């Protein structure tokens, strides 16, 4: 049995959710709300988004067989603007999609080496998916404290909203049908 489709779907969903959140953030004033101190594990939207980016760069590099490790953390906030974050995030999302594309069950269970500086952590590839999901929830909550409402991040769209979803997926260079992101009811991705 191929257990990879849910992880490919998660990689597509992740790219789409990142796209939606960054589009919402782009509507914030360039300074003020984006850099304002907020309650959370990291002190604001920019800090949280940069943390996710830095860790994802390290994890995706490990999935690709690289040894980036701690070098990814040299600058904890490499992107100072939403535009820079959008570009960097899209690049990491493309790399994640490429890393999971075509994987079968054995590939996802593959153990990868995550370089941690003084040690190398051996981790199942599928375990590296959970990090950004947790922090994306934190940034969603932080965004709700701004004048810009946080976007829907679940795949539950009404028929009236289908054109919006299609437009957003097209901006990512995909269609729902091509990627089978959510599949038909009862069939899964």
């Amino acid at each position: 049995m191929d257990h990879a489709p849910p992880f490919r779907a998660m990689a597509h969903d992740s790219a789409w959710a990142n796209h939606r959140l960054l589009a919402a953030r782009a509507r914030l004033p360039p300074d003020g709300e984006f850099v304002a101190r907020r309650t959370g594990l990291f002190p604001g939207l920019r800090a949280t988004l940069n943390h996710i980016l830095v860790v994802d760069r390290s994890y995706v590099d490990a999935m690709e067989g690289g040894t980036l490790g701690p070098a990814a953390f040299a600058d904890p906030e490499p992107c100072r603007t939403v535009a820079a974050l959008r570009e960097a995030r899209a690049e990491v999302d493309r790399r994640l999609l490429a890393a999971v594309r075509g994987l079968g069950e054995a590939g996802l269970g593959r153990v990868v080496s995550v370089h941690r500086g003084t040690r190398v952590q051996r981790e199942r590839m599928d375990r590296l998916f959970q990090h950004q999901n947790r922090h994306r929830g934190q940034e969603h909550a932080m965004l709700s404290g701004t004048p810009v409402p946080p976007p829907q991040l679940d795949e539950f769209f009404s028929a009236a909203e289908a054109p919006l979803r299609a437009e957003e997926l097209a901006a990512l260079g995909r269609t729902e049908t091509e990627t089978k992101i959510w599949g038909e009811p009862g069939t899964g991705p």
Side-chain angles (χ1 to χ4, degrees):
M1 179 177 181
D2 182 5
H3 294 284
F7 292 95
R8 286 192 294 268
M10 283 193 305
H12 283 287
D13 190 49
S14 176
W16 176 66
N18 290 329
H19 174 81
R20 295 203 93 208
L21 283 164
L22 284 164
R25 270 182 232 83
R27 296 192 319 260
L28 291 172
D31 291 323
E33 297 284 352
F34 183 57
V35 296
R37 279 195 73 73
R38 300 191 185 282
T39 301
L41 186 58
F42 295 91
L45 286 164
R46 185 174 72 189
T48 301
L49 289 167
N50 273 287
H51 170 76
I52 296 167
L53 175 69
V54 165
V55 172
D56 284 356
R57 282 178 172 167
S58 174
Y59 283 178
V60 171
D61 177 75
M63 289 178 188
E64 295 167 335
T67 59
L68 178 64
F73 299 89
D75 182 356
E77 285 197 27
C79 298
R80 310 301 284 173
T81 66
V82 173
L85 275 161
R86 277 181 121 161
E87 186 177 317
R89 181 77 256 168
E91 186 264 333
V92 173
D93 288 339
R94 282 190 295 274
R95 288 174 55 205
L96 176 60
L97 286 163
V100 299
R101 192 174 290 122
L103 282 176
E105 183 175 355
L108 269 172
R110 184 178 99 222
V111 175
V112 298
S113 298
V114 181
H115 292 260
R116 300 282 188 192
T118 58
R119 67 184 176 86
V120 175
Q121 176 183 337
R122 307 281 290 156
E123 190 66 72
R124 280 178 48 115
M125 188 171 172
D126 57 348
R127 297 269 304 139
L128 302 180
F129 276 84
Q130 67 187 347
H131 176 262
Q132 72 168 285
N133 292 334
R134 177 181 68 243
H135 289 303
R136 196 167 36 231
Q138 293 167 347
E139 68 179 281
H140 194 269
M142 285 182 195
L143 190 60
S144 68
T146 74
V148 175
Q152 169 67 275
L153 295 181
D154 292 323
E155 68 277 13
F156 306 112
F157 277 80
S158 68
E161 295 169 309
L164 172 62
R165 181 171 59 195
E167 179 182 317
E168 290 173 343
L169 290 173
L172 294 169
R174 294 185 281 289
T175 68
E176 190 172 340
T177 305
E178 289 170 333
T179 57
K180 298 182 180 150
I181 294 173
W182 295 289
E184 293 299 316
T187 64

